[in-house]
Amino acid sequence: MTAHHGHAAGARVDELRSALPPSRVLVDPARTAAYASDWSGIAAGSPSAVVLAETTHDVVVALRWANHHGVPTTLRGGGSGVSGGAVAYDGGLVVSTARMNRILDLSPVDRIAVVEPGVLIAHLDRAAGAHGLMYAPDPVSKDIATIGGSIATNAGGLRCLAHGVTSEAVSGLEVVLPDGRVLHTGGRTRKSATGYDLTHLFVGSEGSLGVITQATVRLTPLPRGERVTFAATFPSAQAAGAAVAGLLGRGLDLELPELLDHSTLEFVRRHLAGAGPTDGAMPDGAMPDGAMPDGGTVRDGGAMLVGMVIAVDAAAQLVEARAAATDAGAVHFEASQGTGMLDVRARVKEALMAGGLEASCDAAVPPSRLAELLAAIDVIAARDGRVVATVAHAGDGNIHAAVQSRDEPDDAEAVQRVLRDIVRAALALDGVVTGEHGIGAAKVHLVAEQFTPDTLAVQHAIRELLDPRGILNPGRVI
Amino acid sequence: MTAHHGHAAGARVDELRSALPPSRVLVDPARTAAYASDWSGIAAGSPSAVVLAETTHDVVVALRWANHHGVPTTLRGGGSGVSGGAVAYDGGLVVSTARMNRILDLSPVDRIAVVEPGVLIAHLDRAAGAHGLMYAPDPVSKDIATIGGSIATNAGGLRCLAHGVTSEAVSGLEVVLPDGRVLHTGGRTRKSATGYDLTHLFVGSEGSLGVITQATVRLTPLPRGERVTFAATFPSAQAAGAAVAGLLGRGLDLELPELLDHSTLEFVRRHLAGAGPTDGAMPDGAMPDGAMPDGGTVRDGGAMLVGMVIAVDAAAQLVEARAAATDAGAVHFEASQGTGMLDVRARVKEALMAGGLEASCDAAVPPSRLAELLAAIDVIAARDGRVVATVAHAGDGNIHAAVQSRDEPDDAEAVQRVLRDIVRAALALDGVVTGEHGIGAAKVHLVAEQFTPDTLAVQHAIRELLDPRGILNPGRVI
């Protein structure tokens, strides 16, 4: 950057600083760096400014400034995204809505909450729980992820089979467009047939169409009855996939079925052995050594299903769940009250990271095609001679396949090729590039493979309509 | 129309006829008339052609023709809409997708059906029932309404509280744009975070953005357990509204709570007395004289709630339902197994029509505001000295208020003013102009009152983007 450019950029930033209270604009690189990256590991640029918005008006001021000067802008909630949708551009603007973190209203009768975008998901879910309700979307990151960020990525989670994805929980939005216009979409009613559904155009748009500054979200009655968890082991991941189809076909009150393949279970076992229960480092709720549900019987190539039923007649439904597992060739089935068997699932991410499997994908297929996708992953892994550890939100057909890296030159590219081939296998099975993490910067090269050219062209045209200067997450999302 | 114009119009129509098989294009006014009106009662123009599409390509050909020549075009499913969204323009084109009526796929594991738009709602629901599933959206017109039309209007129904509106059941669409491009939105997966949600942009767009030629819809497991219906009577409609709030706050497995005010019950009683059970004219499932649940105790100004619980522990939930009703001041509560008590609700529409109450509205408010809306309707009715009979899908806050007409000059306008004032009362209570019937031609003058100018402007801009020549339902919808 020449001195001239630097001077011009400095003048521009001064203009932004003069328009907002000092505590809401960061320009010192030592301070902006904390807002430049997300969990994707993608290298971030150094932003020229970070706006820590406290009001909708702050966002309006920031966007108008960026739009006027053509400054590339990233939007940021909790920064826990894993697809690079919140990674700063060099010289760009970052708008964080994390400080806008109030629950403005919570109506048990309307089963609605009105929240600012910076409210943490788990915080809202707890507030709803006091009224016998829940905020159903439950990404694993819910303790650190914001409502705004999770709406922007249409986040998923573990209990979507029973209670839906984020999109289904969003009833209305306040959105700021790049030109500073403030839209109010949807509302508090369960039914509306007036006008176009702009709400869901912004859900999942990953900060490329506008900034969510308020959300009206639906709350769901907590399921009634007893919680029973079960674990079933299968000689192959494909057999486990077939069991999922059988479980779904029986219409059980299945809160979740999680699938863990043999490799994943091995990493969890090794990780737990290394960080055993006596070292004091295990977080609350962790599984004590030896309590892993029957992992010992999962042979190489096999898999485990961990499921939960919440129902008044849970015991009767468990009989049906066992039958579905047995029909699909389960070699073992065990059940218990409470949620203890889910602990193994909760330890997967840390175990895989400890094992050096950091890069993963989140493709999804219809559940009836899950067994085929798992078979395809086996072929891809064998071809590369790499370990690929797969867990799946099996009721949604949504996999997380983590690829082992090697200490070799160009290994990162090789890992990306493996992930790309897994995504292509999913697309060939009526699937999608990303089920719940979003496209961001990491997967934008794959988007065109999911859509017909005309369907993609309309998406680009809508983007250009709402963000004609192209300041919001340019080059990303689609 | 001059002879010259007539000649040009004739040549244009000949161009369309030569592009499609003869059986798929009607031009004779004696035959097109059957496709010119819907159930709104709004006067229809005489279309220059009706295309009875049998394939997506037929729709492409028809729209390209209309777009090229600037012919105003209405889209038509079952023709059962009540808002004038399918009323033909004089000299316009009508595209019917009623002949595209095949269920292309139904997967119990994926809980998905792929259907052509002309499939009747009840037909799909029965097909799903064979697999222990249901197609949840259930507008009263489900025996004659098509999937395509109900998606285009985001139709509601009676069981939306428990199972959602049409929008929530739509997973993907094939849509033809005015320029003939064919889009494929969404898909078969439960989760998707790739690209923008174009699907829900078309849901509820009432034939103003494109033509739905295929839909991928979600199926829902049939509720497990026993069906129990109950009826509770209240001294005032507002007390019944308060009871709804109490029922919702208890988190019951409430399939529906329908509210019928005193006037509505009186019309039903008179209608049933006039068409008594011995005349042989009562349809199957009709309520025999005397079986009306305790209607005799509903005093002037009072109301009845009819509800249904489907649950394994239905008896226990009924105890809670009774408590909620009693807390709100119920003067009577009765319950029975099965669905018999719902019959009174099924007779409302015919009873009101027989009583000369044809014009009605379908505004919706958050359920917590329902009692206030009912009070406002009382005030409006009293001011005009007219009977207004109100039923409500009370769990959704969605009312149908039917206004008595008089044999007076300009009475139709006076009735419309009453309906407009009811809609305005709903809007003032965080409500919407239309909950489930759509805007069509009938309510387009009220749309601007629901949205801020910027929010409405973006809707118009999207319409112009997708339909730049303005051929689809011009002057309607927004």
Side-chain angles (χ1 to χ4, degrees), chain B residues 310-475:
Chain B
I310 307 182
V312 172
D313 60 340
Q317 294 198 29
L318 209 52
V319 172
E320 291 191 59
R322 181 189 292 266
T326 305
D327 287 352
V331 293
H332 187 87
F333 185 94
E334 60 181 303
S336 74
Q337 291 190 315
T339 61
M341 285 189 185
L342 303 181
D343 291 342
V344 61
R345 177 63 183 87
R347 305 306 293 270
V348 166
K349 190 174 173 71
E350 65 193 60
L352 294 179
M353 291 182 77
L357 282 72
E358 298 200 10
S360 69
C361 71
D362 69 318
V365 293
S368 65
R369 315 300 296 270
L370 179 60
E372 290 168 83
L373 179 60
L374 296 171
I377 292 172
D378 278 353
V379 171
I380 293 166
R383 184 199 65 196
D384 253 57
R386 283 176 195 268
V387 173
V388 176
T390 303
V391 295
H393 309 308
D396 308 316
N398 180 199
I399 61 151
H400 296 298
V403 179
Q404 189 180 37
S405 55
R406 294 175 183 147
D407 189 14
E408 291 174 5
D410 302 325
D411 186 63
E413 287 76 7
V415 166
Q416 288 303 318
R417 277 198 301 277
V418 171
L419 292 173
R420 182 200 64 195
D421 289 345
I422 293 171
V423 167
R424 286 183 174 159
L427 289 173
L429 295 165
D430 288 335
V432 295
V433 173
T434 168
E436 57 182 11
H437 291 168
I439 293 292
K443 298 163 223 167
V444 70
H445 60 292
L446 290 166
V447 170
E449 299 187 32
Q450 186 177 320
F451 299 112
T452 65
D454 284 342
T455 309
L456 192 57
V458 168
Q459 295 179 60
H460 279 290
I462 287 174
R463 183 176 193 165
E464 199 177 321
L465 178 73
L466 298 179
D467 180 21
R469 298 207 59 187
I471 64 161
L472 296 179
N473 253 349

Side-chain angles (χ1 to χ4, degrees), chain B residues 9 12 25 65 192 198 206 255 265 276 278 303 425 457 465 473:
Chain B
R12 282 202 314 239
V25 188
W65 174 83
S192 175
L198 297 183
E206 299 187 60
E255 194 78 354
L265 290 165
T278 57
L465 178 73
N473 253 349

Side-chain angles (χ1 to χ4, degrees), chain B residues 14-276:
Chain B
D14 286 345
E15 186 188 320
L16 178 66
R17 294 172 80 181
S18 70
L20 289 167
S23 64
R24 302 182 195 173
V25 188
L26 309 180
V27 296
D28 178 354
R31 296 192 64 199
T32 60
Y35 300 90
S37 305
D38 63 13
W39 282 23
S40 64
I42 292 175
S46 179
S48 61
V50 172
V51 169
L52 304 172
E54 296 187 15
T55 68
T56 298
H57 184 69
D58 292 348
V59 175
V60 169
V61 169
L63 283 204
R64 277 197 180 134
W65 174 83
N67 198 47
H68 179 72
H69 295 291
V71 179
T73 301
T74 48
L75 314 176
R76 183 183 181 81
S80 58
V82 294
S83 301
V87 168
Y89 296 89
D90 210 32
L93 171 69
V94 174
V95 177
S96 166
T97 51
R99 285 186 180 174
M100 300 174 68
N101 62 0
R102 292 175 301 165
I103 297 176
L104 302 172
D105 188 15
L106 196 162
S107 165
V109 171
D110 296 337
R111 295 177 182 168
I112 280 285
V114 181
V115 300
E116 292 184 328
V119 171
L120 298 178
I121 296 170
H123 178 198
L124 174 61
D125 191 35
R126 278 194 300 273
H131 302 278
L133 299 166
M134 62 179 177
Y135 177 67
D138 68 330
V140 174
S141 55
K142 62 188 169 189
D143 289 314
I144 53 171
T146 64
I147 298 285
S150 63
I151 291 174
T153 54
N154 189 16
L158 271 65
R159 61 190 182 194
C160 301
L161 170 67
H163 305 291
V165 299
T166 296
S167 174
E168 295 164 71
V170 183
S171 181
L173 294 174
E174 180 184 85
V175 177
V176 181
L177 296 183
D179 61 11
R181 285 184 293 171
V182 180
L183 307 187
H184 294 90
T185 76
R188 290 176 74 107
T189 61
R190 176 85 181 185
K191 288 177 176 171
S192 175
T194 317
Y196 302 146
D197 181 349
L198 297 183
T199 303
H200 290 92
L201 192 57
F202 290 101
V203 174
S205 65
E206 299 187 60
S208 71
L209 298 180
V211 184
I212 295 166
T213 49
Q214 195 180 105
T216 303
V217 296
R218 298 208 171 104
L219 306 175
T220 308
L222 285 165
R224 299 163 73 98
E226 190 189 356
R227 279 162 200 264
V228 185
T229 45
F230 63 87
T233 54
F234 297 86
S236 69
Q238 290 85 312
V244 171
L247 286 166
L248 292 176
R250 285 167 193 259
L252 307 180
D253 292 315
L254 202 59
E255 194 78 354
L256 55 86
E258 292 286 311
L259 184 152
L260 298 85
D261 75 354
H262 173 261
S263 298
T264 301
L265 290 165
E266 271 306 302
F267 281 105
V268 173
R269 184 184 323 282
R270 277 184 231 159
H271 180 62
L272 292 180

Side-chain angles (χ1 to χ4, degrees), chain A residues 42 83-85 89 206 208 362 416 420 423-424 427 433-434 438-451 456 459-460 463 473-478, chain B residues 193-196:
Chain A
I42 292 175
S83 301
Y89 296 89
E206 298 187 62
S208 71
D362 69 317
Q416 287 304 316
R420 180 200 64 194
V423 168
R424 285 183 175 160
L427 290 173
V433 173
T434 167
I439 292 292
K443 298 164 224 167
V444 69
H445 59 291
L446 290 165
V447 169
E449 298 188 32
Q450 186 178 322
F451 299 112
L456 192 57
Q459 294 179 62
H460 280 290
R463 183 177 191 163
N473 254 348
R476 300 173 183 164
V477 187
I478 59 169
Chain B
T194 317
Y196 302 146

